[in-house]
Amino acid sequence: MLHYIPYILLFALATAVIYGWGLWRSVRQQQDLSNMLSAKGISKIKKALKKGPMSRKDLEPVVSTLTARQPFSSEQIGVTDPGKFLDSILPYMIRQKMIREIREGGQTLYELNKK
C-alpha cells in the first residue's frame, strides 16, 4: 500500500499544474485575444498600404471583418466598430514607425514608412 503513495502524489501534482495552467489561461484570454486581433489588424493594414497611401475611410473596410480566436477555444473576438479599432491601432503603428501620416489637400492619408 505504501508504494502507491508516490504515484498518488505525482497524479495530484500533475492535476494541480494542469488546473493552474487552465486558470492562468482563462484569466489572460481576453488580453491574448485582443493582442491577436491587433496583430491581425496591423498585418492587414500594412498589406493594404502596400498599394499606396489610404485614408481612414479607405482603411475601415480592410479591418471591419477581422476576428481572432485561440486554438482549442470557442471564445472569439471581432471588430465591431472599425473607426474605434483604427483609433487605437493607427497611433500605435505611427509610434512604432511602421506607417506615417501625411496631409494632402486637407485630407489625412497613411502610408508605409520607407526603411
Side-chain angles (χ1 to χ4, degrees):
M1 184 71 173
L2 288 176
H3 66 284
Y4 290 119
I5 291 177
Y7 296 112
I8 292 170
L9 292 175
L10 206 56
F11 180 76
L13 179 65
T15 302
V17 167
I18 291 170
Y19 177 77
W21 176 71
L23 187 62
W24 176 78
R25 189 168 167 205
S26 70
V27 167
R28 290 197 35 125
Q29 187 174 29
Q30 279 303 104
Q31 184 63 40
D32 289 344
L33 286 172
S34 179
N35 291 344
M36 289 171 66
L37 189 63
S38 294
K40 274 186 164 181
I42 288 170
S43 176
K44 286 274 195 178
I45 290 171
K46 281 180 163 181
K47 188 175 180 180
L49 290 177
K50 283 184 181 178
K51 298 172 186 167
M54 298 176 88
S55 68
R56 279 180 49 90
K57 189 172 183 151
D58 297 333
L59 288 172
E60 283 184 8
V62 172
V63 297
S64 65
T65 59
L66 285 179
T67 60
R69 188 175 153 215
Q70 287 182 324
F72 309 112
S73 174
S74 61
E75 292 292 317
Q76 183 171 314
I77 189 172
V79 174
T80 54
D81 185 355
K84 283 186 181 179
F85 184 72
L86 287 174
D87 284 342
S88 69
I89 207 164
L90 289 175
Y92 171 78
M93 292 178 75
I94 292 169
R95 279 192 313 271
Q96 296 298 316
K97 299 191 183 340
M98 294 178 206
I99 62 173
R100 65 185 180 136
E101 194 175 56
I102 54 175
R103 302 202 192 282
E104 279 186 10
Q107 187 178 18
T108 303
L109 299 174
Y110 298 94
E111 70 177 0
L112 283 176
N113 229 357
K114 302 199 174 34
K115 295 182 180 180

